[in-house]
Amino acid sequence: MDHHLTPLDVTQLASWHALTEHRAQMNRFSMREAFASDPQRFERFSLSSCGLMLDFSKNLINQDTTALLVKLAEEARLGDAIQAMFDGTAINASEQRQALHTALRRPLGDKVLVNGRNVMPDIHKVLQQMSTLVGKLHNGLWRGYTEKPISDVVNIGIGGSFLGPQLVSEALLPFAQKGLRCHYLANVDGSEFRELVSRLSAETTLFIVSSKSFSTLETLKNAQAARAWYLAQGGSEENLRRHFIAVTSNPAAATAFGISEENILPLWDWVGGRYSLWSAIGLPIAMSIGISNFKELLSGAYNMDLHFRNTPFERNIPVLLGLLGVWYGDFWGASSHAILPYDYYLRNITDHLQQLDMESNGKSVRQDGTPITAGSGPVIWGGVGCNGQHAYHQLLHQGSQLIPADFIVPVSSYNPVADHHQWLYANCLSQSQALMLGKSRSEAEAELRGKGLEEAEVQRLAPHKAVPGNRPSNTLVMERISPRRLGALIAMYEHKVYVQSVLWGINAFDQWGVELGKELGKGVYQGLTDWEPAPAADASTQGLINYFRGRHRG
Ligand code: F6P
């Protein structure tokens, strides 16, 4: 079955019907009771691989649930779809492309064909180019126009040309090369631009213009502003080559911009933007942590790839995470999923996973263009803990929605301060525990009586203090973040998203939905700047344009 051509309708499978019946039986399922009746529940529902330990015991599941979910994956021919991705089948049907981000982290000796050509040598050639570049930078051999070494690297890029590199380089700060600072410039907002360059000097700054298409408005506008700034600061045209590099699959556009050919690193169209940090888009990562750590990152992802390809579904971490998302989305009505890293270094992971998941599975048609028949991607949100406990955990604990959560926490810290890490870790576990245990009305009443309150007060307050509980979460634990473990973690989520796309029949690798806004933006821009603008299509947009024009009267 070629999923990408004629996706199956998973809702017609026997295991889907069995899951529907099972769901009805699970209506009264209590995690509290499940833990009480099965002392081995933690052991039964936890897995380790690639330096990560997943505790998925705090879920609305029993062994029948996981067996039925695995059966669904098998009936949906997930194994074939996994094979197809790694083999280079054109699983991006609408663009008729392969999705070969996994090739970027495979050993040179492997063979991956694109149009009959083995691309592994090309991939490793670019890795070598990156290595040479990083070496020059770190050894001070790369000099600016006043012959000083580079102290600051600015990555100009947005979406997948920004979020992945930012996540990784800031997560791996403990591995960063001393004396070289890495910055990210993404939005077309003069404030972001000015606030950044005010901290830089052009003579020691290297700009990386990262854009697969080299046609993204925000990136081009920032690249032009950076070049103007560099010239205004005293840089010359002939020294541009010392201060501008490009990473793109559109070298002609980069050359036209003025970037010299030897400073252009290639990207391929069979790597999606949100899956591209493993490619030369990861150059700022390599510049920050060094090429050997970048290769460690790649091998961590490669290890997760092997786990994903070779492990039976019932012990396969990305498969189980993907299936749990289908369980909650399609059978429990969950429409969002919280990512809660209890680690300063992982504070940007939610931003990256938002693009990875929501730009991949935020779709309403299947691979063949027919409307979806099952679920589709959830809203991904969250943020670093404990901060979230003082912001949105109230809704997680007492809100009216079921919101599954992933807690991510390191066992140890790079920066021990008193007993901070013990408290950070304790808070992470207790939040997950509170979601599962809750506090019954009678427990709340007993607690209030225990404080000596009058019965009337007890009855008044108890409904507000009761916590529903029985709310699911996964906890991912690791020693502490490292290039290898981070590579495995990100690859794990890439594969989770893919698993869900296969079950839902969705193309995880195109993003047609972003085109409309870009097109309409051009008309609005004309309305703001032309003397005789064409009227906007609607009164709201026209009214807002008039408001702007009224305050910018020439
Ligand atoms: O959001 C649309 C998108 O194409 C993303 O998929 C991509 O990561 C981003 O814009 C940037 O694209 P480019 O790397 O081509 O500038």
Side-chain angles (χ1 to χ4, degrees):
M1 151 97 64
D2 285 330
H3 290 84
H4 52 295
L5 299 176
T6 49
L8 50 83
D9 179 354
V10 73
T11 65
Q12 300 310 305
L13 298 174
S15 48
W16 185 276
H17 298 308
L19 276 164
T20 305
E21 285 161 25
H22 180 63
R23 169 67 183 84
Q25 295 155 14
M26 293 293 280
N27 248 344
R28 304 193 54 71
F29 177 81
S30 152
M31 282 193 264
R32 271 197 191 194
E33 289 165 19
F35 277 106
S37 61
D38 176 5
Q40 296 302 311
R41 186 171 172 88
F42 170 72
E43 286 73 16
R44 198 182 308 285
F45 295 115
S46 56
L47 284 168
S48 289
S49 179
C50 309
L52 308 175
M53 197 279 278
L54 169 67
D55 167 15
F56 63 106
S57 60
K58 296 198 198 84
N59 273 293
L60 298 166
I61 57 172
N62 57 29
Q63 285 178 288
D64 295 341
T65 322
T66 46
L68 285 170
L69 286 170
V70 166
K71 186 97 182 70
L72 180 71
E74 285 160 357
E75 272 197 296
R77 311 283 294 277
L78 176 63
D80 294 349
I82 293 170
Q83 188 69 37
M85 174 170 71
F86 283 93
D87 286 354
T89 303
I91 53 176
N92 175 352
S94 68
E95 295 178 309
Q96 295 172 321
R97 284 180 185 166
Q98 300 149 292
L100 280 170
H101 46 289
T102 52
L104 299 169
R105 54 232 193 184
R106 290 176 75 158
L108 177 57
D110 279 13
K111 192 173 184 180
V112 178
L113 300 182
V114 173
N115 303 324
R117 184 167 180 278
N118 180 14
V119 294
M120 289 313 301
D122 302 329
I123 290 169
H124 281 258
K125 182 171 166 242
V126 173
L127 202 49
Q128 185 50 49
Q129 274 181 283
M130 292 169 71
S131 178
T132 306
L133 240 175
V134 170
K136 284 180 183 169
L137 220 78
H138 286 185
N139 302 333
L141 297 176
W142 185 293
R143 300 279 166 154
Y145 66 88
T146 58
E147 296 305 334
K148 285 182 183 170
I150 298 297
S151 61
D152 292 87
V153 170
V154 177
N155 184 80
I156 300 177
I158 199 164
S161 300
F162 157 52
L163 293 167
Q166 180 194 53
L167 160 63
V168 176
S169 60
E170 300 204 356
L172 298 178
L173 226 44
F175 298 82
Q177 170 86 6
K178 300 293 172 260
L180 185 69
R181 291 177 305 181
C182 215
H183 314 273
Y184 291 90
L185 177 61
N187 200 4
V188 60
D189 179 339
S191 301
E192 182 177 343
F193 181 83
R194 284 278 162 242
E195 289 295 344
L196 173 59
V197 296
S198 67
R199 305 200 308 265
L200 305 174
S201 60
E203 60 183 352
T204 56
T205 298
L206 173 63
F207 291 99
I208 307 174
V209 184
S210 293
S211 177
K212 183 177 171 186
S213 61
F214 219 89
S215 65
T216 302
L217 173 100
E218 298 89 341
T219 301
L220 294 183
K221 298 302 280 181
N222 274 322
Q224 287 153 14
R227 182 174 54 192
W229 174 77
Y230 156 81
L231 293 170
Q233 293 287 310
S236 60
E237 287 289 350
E238 69 267 4
N239 276 318
L240 262 173
R241 67 179 62 242
R242 297 174 181 236
H243 296 275
F244 283 83
I245 286 175
V247 178
T248 184
S249 63
N250 185 352
T255 314
F257 174 81
I259 296 185
S260 42
E261 237 168 275
E262 74 274 10
N263 282 7
I264 299 173
L265 284 89
L267 197 52
W268 302 279
D269 65 10
W270 33 264
V271 176
R274 52 195 172 272
Y275 297 89
S276 64
L277 70 89
W278 322 99
S279 73
I281 288 289
L283 183 60
I285 301 170
M287 287 187 171
S288 175
I289 64 174
I291 200 70
S292 54
N293 282 320
F294 184 75
K295 288 178 179 174
E296 277 291 286
L297 178 83
L298 296 177
S299 56
Y302 178 64
N303 287 341
M304 182 54 74
D305 294 345
L306 294 178
H307 169 79
F308 182 48
R309 294 181 79 172
N310 304 324
T311 308
F313 290 165
E314 59 274 10
R315 295 199 311 280
N316 192 309
I317 291 178
V319 169
L320 287 170
L321 289 174
L323 289 171
L324 285 168
V326 170
W327 178 233
Y328 293 123
D330 288 274
F331 295 90
W332 290 81
S335 58
S336 83
H337 186 103
I339 304 289
L340 307 172
Y342 274 68
D343 183 353
Y344 170 77
Y345 290 126
L346 288 176
R347 65 195 180 284
N348 296 310
I349 194 167
T350 306
D351 290 356
H352 173 63
L353 294 184
Q354 280 187 323
Q355 186 195 10
L356 179 66
D357 201 314
M358 295 168 78
E359 199 167 74
S360 294
N361 289 340
K363 315 272 169 76
S364 309
V365 297
R366 302 190 310 159
Q367 285 267 29
D368 60 358
T370 59
I372 53 174
T373 56
S376 61
V379 172
I380 300 293
W381 65 283
V384 75
C386 303
N387 301 18
Q389 295 168 214
H390 305 271
Y392 37 76
H393 283 220
Q394 163 63 40
L395 182 137
L396 290 174
H397 291 296
Q398 290 185 326
S400 57
Q401 305 169 58
L402 177 83
I403 302 179
D406 288 355
F407 290 90
I408 307 170
V409 66
V411 168
S412 55
S413 169
Y414 283 101
N415 305 288
V417 173
D419 55 355
H420 281 35
H421 194 68
Q422 287 82 344
W423 276 114
L424 184 68
Y425 197 86
N427 271 279
C428 180
L429 269 54
S430 56
Q431 288 297 306
S432 168
Q433 187 181 38
L435 286 170
M436 183 270 289
L437 283 178
K439 181 185 289 182
S440 68
R441 168 78 181 250
S442 54
E443 287 165 340
E445 288 175 357
E447 190 182 281
L448 291 164
R449 288 188 192 104
K451 290 177 180 170
L453 271 65
E454 293 299 317
E455 192 54 25
E457 268 298 86
V458 169
Q459 293 308 318
R460 186 178 71 82
L461 280 175
H464 302 284
K465 295 189 64 94
V467 180
N470 218 32
R471 297 192 171 184
S473 66
N474 299 311
T475 302
L476 267 160
V477 185
M478 68 187 82
E479 167 50 31
R480 59 185 183 179
I481 205 65
S482 69
R484 185 176 285 266
R485 290 187 201 108
L486 183 58
L489 181 66
I490 296 170
M492 178 197 83
Y493 277 111
E494 288 178 346
H495 298 324
K496 170 202 170 179
V497 166
Y498 182 60
V499 165
Q500 294 182 338
S501 74
V502 171
L503 292 173
W504 292 328
I506 281 171
N507 180 349
F509 303 102
D510 61 6
Q511 53 285 322
W512 298 105
V514 303
E515 302 303 322
L516 177 59
K518 291 180 184 178
E519 284 312 308
L520 293 175
K522 294 170 189 164
V524 176
Y525 175 82
Q526 298 306 332
L528 298 176
T529 54
D530 275 0
W531 287 112
E532 295 304 326
D538 63 282
S540 164
T541 306
Q542 190 55 57
L544 295 167
I545 288 172
N546 297 342
Y547 190 86
F548 181 93
R549 290 171 68 91
R551 277 147 189 78
H552 289 258
R553 207 179 300 284

